[in-house]
């Protein structure tokens, strides 16, 4: 009986010890562990949001390292166009590379767009700033529906007069003729162009474009 009583007393003592430790353990878990888990979770969310913002919140196009694609997240956010991939082709003049790009939007209802840009790191920003060329982007960014019939459709435009940087993303007018042919053969830009052939595509060209004075 004595041994049995000792066993019972020992079990009750251990039970009390467990009961005494249990509230303390719960307190430590609630006060320390739960906030720690919350902080870790918040940190992960913050990192994810930070990565997304670094990719999509920039007003300037975000390109891949090899500059062969535009970031799809940026295209979706700025152009409002869903696509699987945005492939880049540099169609700039030799004297001003990386200022005019054709972008093929794979999987989108809009097959191609054109990006006209002067970025702060491409060596043209100083000239653009001095000449105020960022006004082009500011103009297109403020165009309303009253001019829709006489200007290209613009999906996105952003300009910074302070740095000279600008970007205009507009419809691809590859199948159209530029108005430069209307200045006739006296325009240096037309010296190497077959103006009669180009003017014939317009339907009813003015005399100067057809080879007049």
């Amino acid at each position: 009986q004595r041994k049995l009583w000792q066993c019972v007393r020992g079990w009750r003592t251990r039970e009390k010890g467990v009961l005494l430790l249990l509230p303390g353990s719960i307190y430590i878990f609630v006060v320390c562990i739960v906030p720690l888990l919350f902080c870790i979770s918040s940190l992960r969310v913050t990192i994810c949001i930070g990565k997304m913002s670094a990719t999509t919140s920039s007003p300037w196009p975000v390109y891949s390292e090899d500059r062969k694609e535009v970031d799809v997240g940026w295209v979706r956010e700025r152009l409002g166009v869903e696509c699987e991939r945005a492939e880049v082709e540099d169609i700039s003049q030799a004297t001003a590379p990386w200022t005019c790009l054709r972008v093929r939007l794979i999987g989108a209802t809009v097959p191609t767009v054109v990006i006209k840009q002067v970025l702060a790191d491409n060596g043209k920003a100083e000239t653009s700033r001095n000449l105020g060329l960022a006004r082009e982007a500011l103009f297109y960014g403020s165009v309303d529906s009253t001019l829709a019939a006489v200007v290209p459709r613009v999906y996105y435009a952003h300009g910074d007069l302070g740095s000279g940087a600008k970007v205009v993303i507009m419809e691809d007018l590859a199948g159209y003729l530029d108005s430069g042919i209307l200045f006739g053969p006296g325009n240096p830009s037309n010296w190497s162009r077959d103006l009669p052939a180009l003017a014939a595509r317009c339907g009813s060209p003015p005399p100067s474009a057809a080879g007049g004075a």
Side-chain angles (χ1 to χ4, degrees):
Q1 292 180 352
R2 181 178 297 177
K3 290 182 177 180
L4 179 61
W5 175 246
Q6 289 177 349
C7 289
V8 172
R9 289 183 61 187
W11 177 80
R12 287 181 176 177
T13 302
R14 288 193 297 272
E15 184 183 21
K16 290 180 180 179
V18 171
L19 292 175
L20 289 174
L21 288 173
L22 186 59
S25 300
I26 295 175
Y27 176 81
I28 292 174
F29 180 78
V30 172
V31 174
C32 299
I33 304 300
V34 172
L36 180 60
L37 294 174
F38 178 78
C39 289
I40 293 174
S41 177
S42 299
L43 180 60
R44 292 179 62 186
V45 172
T46 301
I47 291 174
C48 290
I49 293 176
K51 288 182 178 179
M52 181 179 66
S53 299
T55 302
T56 61
S57 66
S58 171
W60 313 110
V62 179
Y63 298 99
S64 59
E65 292 185 3
D66 58 7
R67 288 193 167 188
K68 292 183 178 180
E69 293 188 13
V70 185
D71 180 81
V72 172
W74 192 90
V75 171
R76 289 171 179 165
E77 179 180 347
R78 296 298 179 181
L79 275 67
V81 174
E82 291 293 332
C83 66
E84 300 171 4
R85 199 166 64 254
E87 300 177 347
V88 173
E89 176 191 1
D90 190 356
I91 57 174
S92 314
Q93 296 180 357
T95 55
W98 205 246
T99 56
C100 188
L101 314 173
R102 177 173 287 116
V103 181
R104 292 179 175 85
L105 303 177
I106 309 301
T109 55
V110 180
T112 59
V113 294
V114 168
I115 298 180
K116 295 184 62 181
Q117 65 179 12
V118 173
L119 301 180
D121 60 351
N122 72 352
K124 300 292 182 179
E126 183 177 358
T127 301
S128 177
R129 183 185 67 242
N130 293 337
L131 298 178
L133 300 184
R135 290 175 297 177
E136 178 187 18
L138 299 178
F139 166 77
Y140 279 119
S142 61
V143 168
D144 58 22
S145 58
T146 58
L147 295 177
V150 294
V151 298
R153 179 178 179 182
V154 174
Y155 297 95
Y156 174 74
H158 182 79
D160 182 1
L161 289 172
S163 66
K166 67 172 182 176
V167 59
V168 178
I169 302 181
M170 60 176 58
E171 65 175 309
D172 187 1
L173 301 177
Y176 294 79
L177 292 174
D178 65 272
S179 59
I181 66 170
L182 303 180
F183 291 97
N187 188 331
S189 298
N190 292 331
W191 288 351
S192 61
R193 307 175 75 181
D194 186 353
L195 291 184
L198 292 174
R201 292 173 54 188
C202 298
S204 56
S208 61

